[in-house]
Amino acid sequence: MSETTNAATAVQPKMPDVSERGLTAAQVQDRIERGQTNAVTSSTSRSLADIVRANVFTLFNGIILTAMVMVLIAGSWKDAVFGFVIIINTGIGIVTELRAKHTLDKLSILVASDYLVRRDGNDVEVPHNGIVLGDFMWLRSGEQVPADATIAQTWGLELDESMITGESRTVRKKEGDTVYSGSTAVSGMALVHVTAVGAHSYAATLTAQAKVYKKNVSDLNKGINTILKFMTFLVVPLCILLILTQMKTVGGWSAAIASGAWRQAVVSSVAGVVGMVPEGLVLLTSLNFALAAIRLARKNTLVQDLDSVETLARVDCLNLDKTGTITDGGIVYDDFIALPACASKRQAMQALYDLANEESPNGTGRAVLAGLGKQGFTGSAQLERVPFSSARKWSAVAFHNEPEAGQGGVWYMGAPEVLLAGFANQYPDVLKQVNDYANNGMRVLLIAHAAGEVPADFETDPKLEVGAQPVAIVLCSEHIRDDAEPTLAWFREQGVRCRVISGDNPVTVGAIAGKVKLTGDRKPVAMDARELPQDVDELARVLENVDVLGRVLPEQKKAIVQALHTQKHVVAMTGDGVNDALAIKEADLGIAMGNAAPATKAVAEVVLVDSKFSHLPDVVARGRQVMANMERVASLFLTKTVYSALISFGVVLSMIPFPYLPRHISYIGALTIGAPAFLLALAPNTRRYIPGFLRRVFAFSVPCGIATALSVLLSAWFVPKLMGWNVDGSAQYQLLWRSMCATVLFVMGIYVLARVATPLNSWRGWLVAAFAAAGVIGMCIPFVAHFFAFQLPGGKGLLALGVQIVIATLLFALSVWLFPKFLPVTMRSVISQYKRISKR
């Protein structure tokens, strides 16, 4: 009750006198108690606990955390440094989803502001949520309709319903008409009766459908998840086998527990397990997406879902909303074409200015005033006026002065077909000319003049003089964005099929699409959406041959996206209105303009903050950079997975100690995989997306992994025999042996890095050389060598190491050359495809 009382004390603006008294205070209170207010309960899609749980309790985190705990229990904290990646990766995931949660919680189509309602015979201001069912509310120019209502009385109310219907033209409302929440009053005002509030309003209904959490899964993440699922079946049994094997190498369970040698056995087992998990790949993917989002933000492009950065690299269908994307929603005055009956073009243009110069001109009127104002025209005095009416479809002004100059009499402006139908004479040539302009996407107005005396009842009983003659055609059009044509040309060159989907007349939309060369030199094929089939499969077949769709309903926009999905297309959808929200939510990538409705921006993955369509190529380029570069670095990480699994199998079968420590793999991985991968991922790369990401990564990783595993295992098996070392009984010999095996592993890692970084005749060659030098220098620095347990042998041992490196080099070259020879033709084509694209 206090809310109503406070509102009643607000300053009451002067409004027209009406007999309607509105609800009483008791009725308002009753509706509030029943929950019949305009408040919409906001419920987020996922709670904070759900988000934390989903990011913390993952397969990846479980494997790494278990391995880390085992190493810490064994007392070797230096070998547990790999565990820090859990904290970083989990933090990035939680922050990203909290941003999504925050966006969804703020999802609301309506702008929260105060509104004027009639209560107890007074006009009082109440907040948006204070409106109740049955209220009589004033709608004034510039206000957004907060709830569904019917018109009780109107004073020339004109609504922009483009956010609801998609049609860019304004609509004049009359008594009894329905107005929907989300539309905006552009001129006039009305007293309306509220018929639906809160969750029952049209805008809230669309919000409820759009407000569903949707986690986009990229091709990169799908590939990584596939690798992790595969590793699940390997890691668990291999981990058990490794522990059993390593316990046996230290004398069995009883001796290991009694002597404390079990600790070394656990650390050795973890070395194999950690190597099989591509822990840095998940982290690098998240970081790469985040950095791409930051770069795009600098170009006024807000990425609300990091995974969506790479989705546009895969898009092959781009559905564009006309208003707000190709056009900016504004109307511009284009031309004044005098007809044969025009005695004075200057006088006719002055009459046009006066006709448009109403108290609250609509969008077309404002465009005419702006265009003629630049030419020096100003309003005339001493004229009578009949304002524009949606029922009449015309407006008129009458001049009593200067009849000899040809300006006297009555001047009309309105819809050509209406004016021409009311004249005594037929003007087929004028009608044909009007239709030709309309078919080219122009907004056409007709100016007519009835010379002579002005009727006495001109203002009280306006009617069309049958003797009037058409004197001019006025051409206006929607303002096409300057960046529309070059941006569409770029997409066309990139093989992306663009379609325009609009609520406007298909002829008009088709003409605009032709102006911006949507289909290049070919004329766009336009179709009325009312003729579309409802069957999804049939709709998909129809869409293949259609470029422009007009009169599209919000539900149809969503159905169009679904139909394209049935044909395996990756669909992006742009828009700015409420009517676009459902389709944007359904699309693989939703793109909203910065001036879009709040609901549309909230469900979109990408928001063009300054509403510039020309930013989309930047988004595509950034997505391609992520996809192409992450394919390179994924090959690095998966190679480590392959050789770690094979080395683990070899260790289990031969019952030897694991040939390197977890800290070795941390050192080698940082210099040959982690740091280089980060730099390679940031390199410029505009290669178009090519399907088959995971196949190509495996085709690269398997031969490299086999060569690396063989090199390390051969060193592990034969060096102790050749050198006469007892690696089971001597800690010093075991340290030398593991250092040699780790060195071989480092050399193979450099070879794999060099192959991934090709071509090497650029900065990539220097990158490989720098990390190779860093690794060697690090092994020679006492502190680093001690921390990471490196001790290079001298004399005969150094010679043996050189022989191992030569053998490893030959194995790498042989494996890379021989492996494709024994594969099926399809896999060989995949490898050759990888070689081609890696050179770009």
Side-chain angles (χ1 to χ4, degrees):
M1 190 67 182
S2 60
E3 181 181 75
T4 308
T5 305
N6 291 338
T9 60
V11 178
Q12 301 178 13
K14 180 64 177 174
M15 302 300 291
D17 292 330
V18 292
S19 59
E20 180 58 56
R21 295 187 57 81
L23 299 177
T24 64
Q27 289 173 320
V28 171
Q29 185 62 31
D30 177 64
R31 282 160 172 76
I32 292 174
E33 291 173 356
R34 285 199 236 167
Q36 296 175 332
T37 68
N38 207 36
V40 179
T41 302
S42 177
S43 59
T44 182
S45 52
R46 299 214 300 177
S47 66
L48 176 61
D50 289 336
I51 291 174
V52 173
R53 190 183 305 115
N55 282 277
V56 172
F57 300 104
T58 64
L59 173 63
F60 161 74
N61 285 354
I63 294 172
I64 297 298
L65 183 62
T66 302
M68 181 181 177
V69 170
M70 290 174 63
V71 172
L72 290 175
I73 291 174
S76 182
W77 66 269
K78 294 179 181 178
D79 288 304
V81 292
F82 61 84
F84 286 106
V85 73
I86 293 178
I87 300 172
I88 301 171
N89 200 58
T90 301
I92 290 174
I94 291 174
V95 169
T96 301
E97 292 203 28
L98 282 177
R99 283 184 59 194
K101 169 183 164 62
H102 178 67
T103 302
L104 289 172
D105 285 347
K106 291 174 62 180
L107 179 58
S108 174
I109 292 173
L110 306 175
V111 178
S113 57
D114 291 340
Y115 291 86
L116 199 64
V117 297
R118 293 282 292 172
R119 289 181 182 173
D120 286 319
N122 297 314
D123 295 324
V124 296
E125 284 191 342
V126 298
H128 173 274
N129 291 354
I131 299 168
V132 300
L133 184 66
D135 256 330
F136 280 85
M137 175 178 61
W138 291 101
L139 273 184
R140 296 166 288 181
S141 178
E143 290 183 333
Q144 191 175 34
V145 181
D148 298 352
T150 56
I151 304 289
Q153 295 184 52
T154 178
W155 289 264
L157 178 68
E158 198 167 341
L159 292 182
D160 175 4
E161 297 182 333
S162 61
M163 290 293 185
I164 302 295
T165 66
E167 294 193 45
S168 55
R169 65 184 181 87
T170 57
V171 180
R172 186 67 65 97
K173 293 293 183 179
K174 60 181 183 296
E175 291 183 8
D177 284 351
T178 301
V179 295
Y180 292 104
S181 53
S183 53
T184 305
V186 294
S187 64
M189 65 178 178
L191 183 67
V192 301
H193 184 219
V194 177
T195 57
V197 293
H200 301 287
S201 68
Y202 183 77
T205 303
L206 280 179
T207 302
Q209 295 179 56
K211 196 173 183 177
V212 177
Y213 180 80
K214 181 182 77 171
K215 175 67 175 174
N216 285 331
V217 181
S218 67
D219 261 19
L220 291 177
N221 283 333
K222 283 181 181 178
I224 293 168
N225 290 337
T226 301
I227 294 169
L228 287 177
K229 288 177 183 177
F230 175 72
M231 291 311 304
T232 305
F233 297 100
L234 276 180
V235 167
V236 175
L238 265 181
C239 184
I240 295 172
L241 290 173
L242 278 173
I243 291 175
L244 294 174
T245 302
Q246 298 306 298
M247 286 296 181
K248 190 171 182 179
T249 61
V250 294
W253 286 89
S254 299
I257 293 173
S259 64
W262 64 270
R263 293 184 174 87
Q264 185 58 45
V266 168
V267 171
S268 298
S269 302
V270 168
V273 173
V274 170
M276 285 184 280
V277 180
E279 73 277 3
L281 181 58
V282 181
L283 171 61
L284 188 59
T285 303
S286 300
L287 286 174
N288 207 16
F289 285 161
L291 289 172
I294 291 171
R295 288 180 175 180
L296 288 170
R298 292 171 183 165
K299 296 187 177 182
N300 290 317
T301 302
L302 173 64
V303 177
Q304 301 193 120
D305 185 339
L306 296 185
D307 290 349
S308 65
V309 169
E310 58 97 351
T311 306
L312 239 174
R314 300 184 288 112
V315 165
D316 59 1
C317 284
L318 177 59
N319 293 343
L320 303 167
D321 181 43
K322 174 182 68 68
T323 306
T325 302
I326 295 178
T327 65
D328 60 11
I331 300 172
V332 292
Y333 166 81
D334 287 320
D335 203 359
F336 183 96
I337 301 169
L339 296 174
C342 182
S344 170
K345 183 176 180 179
R346 177 78 186 178
Q347 295 293 352
M349 293 178 75
Q350 178 63 54
L352 170 61
Y353 187 95
D354 292 323
L355 284 161
N357 194 23
E358 295 186 357
E359 184 176 350
S360 298
N362 57 23
T364 305
R366 290 193 295 271
V368 169
L369 292 174
L372 294 182
K374 292 178 181 178
Q375 299 181 36
F377 289 93
T378 58
S380 302
Q382 299 179 2
L383 55 80
E384 297 178 48
R385 178 181 301 279
V386 174
F388 179 82
S389 164
S390 57
R392 288 189 301 267
K393 301 289 186 184
W394 53 263
S395 60
V397 292
F399 294 89
H400 292 278
N401 62 330
E402 303 184 20
E404 67 284 352
Q407 189 177 0
V410 180
W411 292 82
Y412 299 93
M413 177 180 71
E417 62 275 13
V418 174
L419 292 179
L420 292 172
F423 297 156
N425 296 327
Q426 300 295 314
Y427 297 95
D429 293 340
V430 175
L431 185 59
K432 181 180 181 304
Q433 197 173 354
V434 165
N435 290 334
D436 288 342
Y437 287 125
N439 290 336
N440 285 323
M442 307 299 294
R443 294 192 173 200
V444 186
L445 298 173
L446 187 67
I447 305 298
H449 182 218
E453 294 295 326
V454 177
D457 58 354
F458 171 73
E459 291 183 311
T460 58
D461 184 21
K463 52 184 175 293
L464 190 61
E465 296 290 330
V466 296
Q469 292 181 304
V471 296
I473 293 173
V474 179
L475 301 179
C476 294
S477 64
E478 290 190 66
H479 183 258
I480 296 174
R481 294 182 182 275
D482 296 335
D483 55 6
E485 185 175 337
T487 303
L488 288 171
W490 188 90
F491 277 111
R492 201 165 55 249
E493 292 168 1
Q494 300 303 314
V496 178
R497 175 76 180 274
C498 295
R499 292 180 179 86
V500 179
I501 299 175
S502 174
D504 272 350
N505 187 301
V507 175
T508 302
V509 182
I512 292 175
K515 287 182 179 180
V516 295
K517 296 183 178 179
L518 176 72
T519 52
D521 296 330
R522 176 176 64 83
K523 182 179 179 181
V525 178
M527 182 178 180
D528 193 316
R530 290 172 293 187
E531 301 173 6
L532 288 175
Q534 293 190 354
D535 179 73
V536 175
D537 294 328
E538 181 63 25
L539 176 58
R541 285 191 289 271
V542 171
L543 289 174
E544 289 299 320
N545 301 314
V546 175
D547 306 302
V548 174
L549 286 165
R551 303 295 187 201
V552 185
L553 300 174
E555 294 77 12
Q556 285 182 305
K557 292 188 177 185
K558 180 180 178 181
I560 289 168
V561 175
Q562 291 172 333
L564 292 171
H565 280 159
T566 65
Q567 302 302 307
K568 307 302 181 184
H569 291 299
V570 181
V571 185
M573 176 80 197
T574 72
D576 63 347
V578 173
N579 61 304
D580 301 316
L582 296 180
I584 284 177
K585 188 73 176 179
E586 186 68 24
D588 298 281
L589 187 73
I591 306 166
M593 297 296 157
N595 58 357
T600 307
K601 288 190 285 189
V603 300
E605 286 84 14
V606 175
V607 178
L608 306 180
V609 178
D610 54 6
S611 301
K612 288 187 177 179
F613 181 41
S614 56
H615 287 322
L616 283 184
D618 291 331
V619 180
V620 175
R622 198 60 59 199
R624 287 180 174 177
Q625 178 190 39
V626 170
M627 284 294 289
N629 289 339
M630 286 306 299
E631 184 170 318
R632 285 180 182 271
V633 301
S635 301
L636 280 176
F637 285 99
L638 194 55
T639 297
K640 185 182 74 140
T641 298
V642 172
Y643 71 63
S644 295
L646 293 176
I647 290 172
S648 297
F649 274 118
V651 168
V652 169
L653 293 174
S654 57
M655 307 288 287
I656 62 173
F658 207 84
Y660 50 82
L661 297 171
R663 70 186 81 173
H664 288 145
I665 199 67
S666 296
Y667 180 84
I668 294 166
L671 291 173
T672 64
I673 299 174
F678 183 79
L679 296 175
L680 288 172
L682 298 179
N685 198 326
T686 57
R687 173 173 66 81
R688 290 175 60 179
Y689 170 74
I690 302 172
F693 159 76
L694 199 56
R695 290 199 311 273
R696 289 194 299 274
V697 170
F698 269 107
F700 176 94
S701 303
V702 170
C704 292
I706 291 174
T708 304
L710 276 176
S711 301
V712 174
L713 286 173
L714 288 174
S715 298
W717 289 334
F718 297 110
V719 165
K721 296 178 181 179
L722 292 174
M723 300 297 297
W725 293 343
N726 179 13
V727 296
D728 292 329
S730 169
Q732 179 61 28
Y733 283 148
Q734 192 175 84
L735 174 61
L736 287 170
W737 172 68
R738 280 180 167 152
S739 296
M740 292 177 73
C741 291
T743 303
V744 171
L745 182 61
F746 172 75
V747 171
M748 296 299 285
I750 292 295
Y751 289 162
V752 175
L753 174 61
R755 191 172 178 226
V756 165
T758 53
L760 298 177
N761 58 349
S762 62
W763 62 271
R764 293 188 180 94
W766 292 105
L767 175 78
V768 175
F771 280 106
V776 173
I777 293 170
M779 293 179 189
C780 299
I781 298 174
F783 169 76
V784 176
H786 177 72
F787 184 90
F788 287 103
F790 279 109
Q791 184 174 333
L792 296 178
K796 185 180 175 182
L798 192 60
L799 179 62
L801 177 60
V803 173
Q804 292 175 65
I805 291 174
V806 171
I807 294 173
T809 304
L810 292 174
L811 278 174
F812 184 82
L814 190 63
S815 180
V816 170
W817 176 71
L818 266 182
F819 186 78
K821 304 289 184 183
F822 297 96
L823 292 177
V825 175
T826 53
M827 186 56 72
R828 289 204 298 269
S829 66
V830 168
I831 293 174
S832 62
Q833 184 186 63
Y834 184 93
K835 290 178 180 178
R836 288 196 306 272
I837 64 178
S838 65
K839 293 178 181 178
R840 300 181 185 179

Short mmCIF file of all heavy atoms in Angstrom, two decimals, residues 638-639 641-644 646-647 700-714 748 752 811-812 815-816 819:
data_model
loop_
_atom_site.label_atom_id
_atom_site.label_comp_id
_atom_site.label_asym_id
_atom_site.label_seq_id
_atom_site.Cartn_x
_atom_site.Cartn_y
_atom_site.Cartn_z
N LEU A 638 48.38 -33.78 -27.95
CA LEU A 638 47.95 -35.16 -28.17
C LEU A 638 49.15 -36.07 -28.45
O LEU A 638 49.12 -37.26 -28.11
CB LEU A 638 46.97 -35.22 -29.34
CG LEU A 638 46.20 -36.54 -29.47
CD1 LEU A 638 45.46 -36.87 -28.17
CD2 LEU A 638 45.21 -36.48 -30.62
N THR A 639 50.21 -35.52 -29.04
CA THR A 639 51.43 -36.30 -29.23
C THR A 639 51.97 -36.77 -27.88
O THR A 639 52.39 -37.91 -27.71
CB THR A 639 52.49 -35.47 -29.96
OG1 THR A 639 52.01 -35.14 -31.27
CG2 THR A 639 53.79 -36.24 -30.09
N THR A 641 50.21 -37.25 -25.22
CA THR A 641 49.30 -38.29 -24.73
C THR A 641 49.64 -39.65 -25.34
O THR A 641 49.67 -40.67 -24.65
CB THR A 641 47.85 -37.91 -25.07
OG1 THR A 641 47.51 -36.69 -24.42
CG2 THR A 641 46.88 -38.99 -24.64
N VAL A 642 49.90 -39.64 -26.64
CA VAL A 642 50.20 -40.90 -27.34
C VAL A 642 51.50 -41.52 -26.82
O VAL A 642 51.54 -42.70 -26.45
CB VAL A 642 50.29 -40.67 -28.87
CG1 VAL A 642 50.80 -41.93 -29.57
CG2 VAL A 642 48.94 -40.26 -29.43
N TYR A 643 52.57 -40.72 -26.76
CA TYR A 643 53.84 -41.33 -26.35
C TYR A 643 53.83 -41.71 -24.87
O TYR A 643 54.47 -42.68 -24.45
CB TYR A 643 55.05 -40.50 -26.74
CG TYR A 643 55.32 -39.20 -26.01
CD1 TYR A 643 55.60 -39.14 -24.65
CD2 TYR A 643 55.38 -37.99 -26.73
CE1 TYR A 643 55.89 -37.96 -24.01
CE2 TYR A 643 55.67 -36.80 -26.10
CZ TYR A 643 55.92 -36.78 -24.75
OH TYR A 643 56.21 -35.60 -24.11
N SER A 644 53.09 -40.95 -24.03
CA SER A 644 53.02 -41.31 -22.61
C SER A 644 52.30 -42.64 -22.43
O SER A 644 52.72 -43.48 -21.60
CB SER A 644 52.30 -40.21 -21.83
OG SER A 644 53.03 -39.00 -21.85
N LEU A 646 52.05 -45.09 -24.68
CA LEU A 646 52.89 -46.17 -25.22
C LEU A 646 54.07 -46.47 -24.31
O LEU A 646 54.43 -47.65 -24.11
CB LEU A 646 53.38 -45.78 -26.63
CG LEU A 646 52.30 -45.70 -27.71
CD1 LEU A 646 52.90 -45.21 -29.02
CD2 LEU A 646 51.64 -47.06 -27.91
N ILE A 647 54.69 -45.44 -23.75
CA ILE A 647 55.80 -45.66 -22.82
C ILE A 647 55.31 -46.40 -21.58
O ILE A 647 55.99 -47.31 -21.06
CB ILE A 647 56.45 -44.31 -22.44
CG1 ILE A 647 57.21 -43.73 -23.64
CG2 ILE A 647 57.40 -44.47 -21.25
CD1 ILE A 647 57.73 -42.32 -23.43
N PHE A 700 48.41 -36.55 -37.25
CA PHE A 700 49.72 -35.96 -36.95
C PHE A 700 50.33 -36.61 -35.72
O PHE A 700 51.54 -36.93 -35.69
CB PHE A 700 49.56 -34.45 -36.71
CG PHE A 700 50.83 -33.77 -36.29
CD1 PHE A 700 51.66 -33.17 -37.22
CD2 PHE A 700 51.21 -33.72 -34.95
CE1 PHE A 700 52.83 -32.55 -36.84
CE2 PHE A 700 52.38 -33.10 -34.56
CZ PHE A 700 53.19 -32.52 -35.51
N SER A 701 49.53 -36.80 -34.68
CA SER A 701 50.05 -37.17 -33.36
C SER A 701 50.50 -38.62 -33.28
O SER A 701 51.47 -38.93 -32.58
CB SER A 701 48.98 -36.90 -32.29
OG SER A 701 48.57 -35.57 -32.32
N VAL A 702 49.80 -39.53 -33.96
CA VAL A 702 50.11 -40.96 -33.81
C VAL A 702 51.53 -41.29 -34.28
O VAL A 702 52.31 -41.90 -33.53
CB VAL A 702 49.05 -41.81 -34.53
CG1 VAL A 702 49.50 -43.27 -34.59
CG2 VAL A 702 47.72 -41.70 -33.81
N PRO A 703 51.95 -40.91 -35.51
CA PRO A 703 53.34 -41.25 -35.90
C PRO A 703 54.39 -40.56 -35.04
O PRO A 703 55.41 -41.16 -34.70
CB PRO A 703 53.41 -40.77 -37.36
CG PRO A 703 52.30 -39.82 -37.53
CD PRO A 703 51.23 -40.27 -36.62
N CYS A 704 54.14 -39.29 -34.68
CA CYS A 704 55.10 -38.59 -33.82
C CYS A 704 55.17 -39.24 -32.44
O CYS A 704 56.25 -39.38 -31.85
CB CYS A 704 54.70 -37.12 -33.69
SG CYS A 704 54.86 -36.16 -35.21
N GLY A 705 54.03 -39.63 -31.92
CA GLY A 705 54.00 -40.28 -30.60
C GLY A 705 54.67 -41.63 -30.61
O GLY A 705 55.39 -41.99 -29.65
N ILE A 706 54.46 -42.41 -31.68
CA ILE A 706 55.11 -43.72 -31.79
C ILE A 706 56.62 -43.57 -31.84
O ILE A 706 57.37 -44.29 -31.15
CB ILE A 706 54.59 -44.47 -33.04
CG1 ILE A 706 53.12 -44.87 -32.83
CG2 ILE A 706 55.44 -45.70 -33.32
CD1 ILE A 706 52.48 -45.48 -34.06
N ALA A 707 57.11 -42.64 -32.66
CA ALA A 707 58.56 -42.43 -32.77
C ALA A 707 59.16 -42.01 -31.43
O ALA A 707 60.23 -42.49 -31.03
CB ALA A 707 58.83 -41.36 -33.83
N THR A 708 58.48 -41.11 -30.72
CA THR A 708 58.98 -40.63 -29.43
C THR A 708 59.00 -41.77 -28.41
O THR A 708 59.99 -41.95 -27.67
CB THR A 708 58.11 -39.47 -28.91
OG1 THR A 708 58.08 -38.43 -29.89
CG2 THR A 708 58.65 -38.92 -27.61
N ALA A 709 57.93 -42.53 -28.35
CA ALA A 709 57.85 -43.64 -27.39
C ALA A 709 58.94 -44.67 -27.66
O ALA A 709 59.61 -45.16 -26.72
CB ALA A 709 56.47 -44.28 -27.45
N LEU A 710 59.14 -45.04 -28.92
CA LEU A 710 60.18 -46.01 -29.26
C LEU A 710 61.56 -45.51 -28.87
O LEU A 710 62.39 -46.26 -28.35
CB LEU A 710 60.13 -46.31 -30.77
CG LEU A 710 59.12 -47.36 -31.23
CD1 LEU A 710 59.12 -47.47 -32.75
CD2 LEU A 710 59.43 -48.72 -30.60
N SER A 711 61.82 -44.23 -29.13
CA SER A 711 63.12 -43.64 -28.80
C SER A 711 63.40 -43.73 -27.31
O SER A 711 64.49 -44.11 -26.87
CB SER A 711 63.19 -42.19 -29.28
OG SER A 711 62.99 -42.10 -30.67
N VAL A 712 62.42 -43.35 -26.50
CA VAL A 712 62.61 -43.35 -25.04
C VAL A 712 62.72 -44.78 -24.52
O VAL A 712 63.58 -45.10 -23.67
CB VAL A 712 61.46 -42.60 -24.35
CG1 VAL A 712 61.56 -42.73 -22.83
CG2 VAL A 712 61.46 -41.13 -24.74
N LEU A 713 61.87 -45.68 -25.00
CA LEU A 713 61.90 -47.06 -24.52
C LEU A 713 63.20 -47.78 -24.92
O LEU A 713 63.76 -48.55 -24.13
CB LEU A 713 60.69 -47.83 -25.07
CG LEU A 713 59.34 -47.48 -24.43
CD1 LEU A 713 58.20 -48.16 -25.18
CD2 LEU A 713 59.32 -47.88 -22.96
N LEU A 714 63.69 -47.53 -26.13
CA LEU A 714 64.96 -48.13 -26.53
C LEU A 714 66.09 -47.66 -25.62
O LEU A 714 66.98 -48.45 -25.23
CB LEU A 714 65.26 -47.79 -27.99
CG LEU A 714 64.40 -48.50 -29.05
CD1 LEU A 714 64.72 -47.96 -30.44
CD2 LEU A 714 64.64 -50.01 -28.99
N MET A 748 63.12 -35.19 -28.85
CA MET A 748 61.96 -35.58 -29.66
C MET A 748 60.86 -34.53 -29.56
O MET A 748 60.15 -34.25 -30.54
CB MET A 748 61.44 -36.94 -29.20
CG MET A 748 62.43 -38.08 -29.41
SD MET A 748 62.87 -38.32 -31.14
CE MET A 748 61.39 -39.10 -31.76
N VAL A 752 59.04 -32.58 -32.69
CA VAL A 752 57.57 -32.46 -32.87
C VAL A 752 57.17 -31.00 -32.96
O VAL A 752 56.34 -30.62 -33.80
CB VAL A 752 56.84 -33.16 -31.69
CG1 VAL A 752 55.34 -32.93 -31.80
CG2 VAL A 752 57.14 -34.65 -31.68
N LEU A 811 64.55 -42.59 -36.13
CA LEU A 811 63.22 -43.15 -35.87
C LEU A 811 62.12 -42.14 -36.17
O LEU A 811 61.07 -42.50 -36.72
CB LEU A 811 63.13 -43.60 -34.40
CG LEU A 811 63.73 -44.97 -34.06
CD1 LEU A 811 63.70 -45.19 -32.55
CD2 LEU A 811 62.93 -46.08 -34.76
N PHE A 812 62.35 -40.89 -35.79
CA PHE A 812 61.34 -39.85 -36.04
C PHE A 812 61.12 -39.67 -37.54
O PHE A 812 59.98 -39.64 -38.01
CB PHE A 812 61.79 -38.54 -35.40
CG PHE A 812 60.77 -37.43 -35.52
CD1 PHE A 812 59.70 -37.36 -34.63
CD2 PHE A 812 60.86 -36.46 -36.51
CE1 PHE A 812 58.76 -36.35 -34.73
CE2 PHE A 812 59.93 -35.46 -36.62
CZ PHE A 812 58.87 -35.39 -35.73
N SER A 815 59.41 -42.84 -39.01
CA SER A 815 58.01 -42.98 -38.60
C SER A 815 57.11 -42.01 -39.35
O SER A 815 56.04 -42.38 -39.83
CB SER A 815 57.89 -42.78 -37.09
OG SER A 815 56.55 -42.90 -36.68
N VAL A 816 57.56 -40.77 -39.45
CA VAL A 816 56.77 -39.76 -40.14
C VAL A 816 56.63 -40.09 -41.62
O VAL A 816 55.59 -39.84 -42.24
CB VAL A 816 57.40 -38.37 -39.95
CG1 VAL A 816 56.75 -37.34 -40.85
CG2 VAL A 816 57.31 -37.94 -38.49
N PHE A 819 54.70 -44.15 -41.75
CA PHE A 819 53.36 -44.33 -41.17
C PHE A 819 52.23 -44.11 -42.18
O PHE A 819 51.33 -44.94 -42.29
CB PHE A 819 53.19 -43.40 -39.96
CG PHE A 819 51.91 -43.62 -39.21
CD1 PHE A 819 51.79 -44.69 -38.34
CD2 PHE A 819 50.83 -42.76 -39.37
CE1 PHE A 819 50.61 -44.90 -37.64
CE2 PHE A 819 49.65 -42.96 -38.68
CZ PHE A 819 49.54 -44.04 -37.80
#
